[in-house]
Amino acid sequence: MLRSPRRSLPLALAVGLLTTGGVLVADRVQAQDDELDEGLEGGQGEPRQVLQRAIEAMGGADALKAVVGAALTFDGGADAGVSERHTLRLDGRQLHYASRDAGGAGFDVVLARGAAFLCDRGPDGQATYVEDLAPEDAREAAYERDMLFMPLLLPSLLADPRAALEHKGKSSQGEAVIKAVVHPAEGNPGATPFLVRLRFDPTSGLLTTAMGTIPCGADQGRKRYLGFLEPKRAGRLLLPHRYADQRSKDVAPREVAVAWALDAAVEPALFQRPTLLRKEGR
């Protein structure tokens, strides 16, 4: 899902554009609110009840609160022979993303409180290069993180008055559609709020799709539909085990099997900037 920012992400925007508050942030979020509501039927209701039902369907609020950290692994990754592992500490939504080729070499991306950096690693796991992420790259990584882990973020959306939850009606399949504003995790650098619409299965109540306009990165401005498919047990929770990622209606969705590991704790060292064995640089 993610790529090495140093190799393929666009140049960052000016820092001031990414950190401005007030009206500018509100305008940027509202600009993402467009034709995604087309085709919705009536039957609007209480949005909090929809999220509460989804949380209960996943395993309940207590089971979700017990999750300190979670690892999401993609079989095959973005390319053949590449594996992806996204490790999230729920407190502060601290992310460690690892991409590895068949030989074990690859790179990490870390978003933690006050830290956002990229680290190349050799086949032996040793760090060979480290650099701070540009603000736009950090923002793209934060957006990807929140979309991929959206099922686990439902309690925080429910508890956040800034989420401005709104029931938009029902899809043609009877799914309840909730609009929400996802705000950055405390202390995460570069991130800004983004708008998302969440679809919930009319029978099970589970989250089925997160959709919205991509706010940043190489696909900025495209419509994105991220499907959460094949719910199965992962510990005490019922979580999707296949993702379908579609970026614009004229592009076929990419489907990939995923696996979850819900751990009692995530080691803090995972988010620490490594010390190089040699001088930084090429």
Side-chain angles (χ1 to χ4, degrees), residues 103-114:
F107 66 93
D108 302 339
V109 172
V110 171
L111 294 180
R113 289 188 176 92

Side-chain angles (χ1 to χ4, degrees), residues 138-205:
R139 183 181 178 214
E140 182 175 1
Y143 166 75
E144 288 291 332
R145 172 202 63 199
D146 289 349
M147 288 291 282
L148 295 179
F149 283 97
M150 191 61 69
L152 297 183
L153 300 186
L154 295 184
S156 63
L157 283 178
L158 187 61
D160 189 353
R162 302 171 303 166
L165 299 174
E166 181 181 354
H167 197 302
K168 301 299 294 184
K170 295 181 179 180
S171 71
S172 58
Q173 291 77 38
E175 300 165 304
V177 180
I178 303 299
K179 183 173 76 172
V181 179
V182 181
H183 282 263
E186 183 178 355
N188 280 192
T192 55
F194 67 90
L195 197 65
V196 68
R197 280 163 177 72
L198 305 174
R199 291 180 179 175
F200 298 86
D201 185 87
T203 302
S204 69

Side-chain angles (χ1 to χ4, degrees), residues 241-252:
H241 281 67
R242 180 170 293 275
Y243 280 12
D245 194 3
Q246 184 176 17
R247 304 187 183 218
S248 80
K249 285 292 188 180
D250 57 349
V251 176

Side-chain angles (χ1 to χ4, degrees), residues 7-281:
R7 296 184 181 88
S8 57
L9 292 187
L11 293 176
L13 297 176
V15 174
L17 293 178
L18 297 175
T19 57
T20 303
V23 175
L24 278 179
V25 167
D27 288 347
R28 292 183 63 172
V29 170
Q30 189 60 36
Q32 303 165 32
D33 188 11
D34 48 23
E35 72 269 20
L36 288 165
D37 289 338
E38 291 182 3
L40 294 184
E41 302 172 358
Q44 295 183 359
E46 169 54 51
R48 293 178 58 84
Q49 292 179 356
V50 176
L51 265 67
Q52 287 169 344
R53 184 186 180 209
I55 290 170
E56 287 303 313
M58 289 172 60
D62 289 342
L64 275 165
K65 289 178 182 178
V67 177
V68 174
L72 181 60
T73 302
F74 287 70
D75 291 347
D79 304 294
V82 176
S83 63
E84 297 182 44
R85 184 178 177 88
H86 306 249
T87 302
L88 182 75
R89 183 178 175 85
L90 270 296
D91 179 18
R93 303 211 295 272
Q94 299 176 77
L95 173 74
H96 178 275
Y97 165 73
S99 175
R100 299 288 185 270
D101 62 22
F107 66 93
D108 302 339
V109 172
V110 171
L111 294 180
R113 289 188 176 92
F117 62 86
L118 164 76
C119 171
D120 281 349
R121 292 191 182 274
D124 59 358
Q126 292 292 333
T128 60
Y129 181 88
V130 181
E131 72 172 48
D132 292 329
L133 293 183
E136 181 68 5
D137 293 338
R139 183 181 178 214
E140 182 175 1
Y143 166 75
E144 288 291 332
R145 172 202 63 199
D146 289 349
M147 288 291 282
L148 295 179
F149 283 97
M150 191 61 69
L152 297 183
L153 300 186
L154 295 184
S156 63
L157 283 178
L158 187 61
D160 189 353
R162 302 171 303 166
L165 299 174
E166 181 181 354
H167 197 302
K168 301 299 294 184
K170 295 181 179 180
S171 71
S172 58
Q173 291 77 38
E175 300 165 304
V177 180
I178 303 299
K179 183 173 76 172
V181 179
V182 181
H183 282 263
E186 183 178 355
N188 280 192
T192 55
F194 67 90
L195 197 65
V196 68
R197 280 163 177 72
L198 305 174
R199 291 180 179 175
F200 298 86
D201 185 87
T203 302
S204 69
L206 291 169
L207 175 66
T208 61
T209 310
M211 55 186 183
T213 301
I214 299 174
C216 53
D219 292 327
Q220 182 176 357
R222 289 190 176 190
K223 302 299 181 295
R224 184 181 188 184
Y225 306 85
L226 183 61
F228 304 102
L229 312 175
E230 296 183 10
K232 300 177 184 178
R233 283 289 167 188
R236 296 169 61 190
L237 298 180
L238 192 63
L239 294 171
H241 281 67
R242 180 170 293 275
Y243 280 12
D245 194 3
Q246 184 176 17
R247 304 187 183 218
S248 80
K249 285 292 188 180
D250 57 349
V251 176
R254 169 200 169 200
E255 290 199 16
V256 60
V258 301
W260 294 86
L262 305 181
D263 304 319
V266 177
E267 290 297 327
L270 201 61
F271 309 104
Q272 294 176 0
R273 188 185 181 99
T275 301
L276 297 181
L277 297 180
R278 60 180 177 82
K279 184 177 180 181
E280 292 188 20

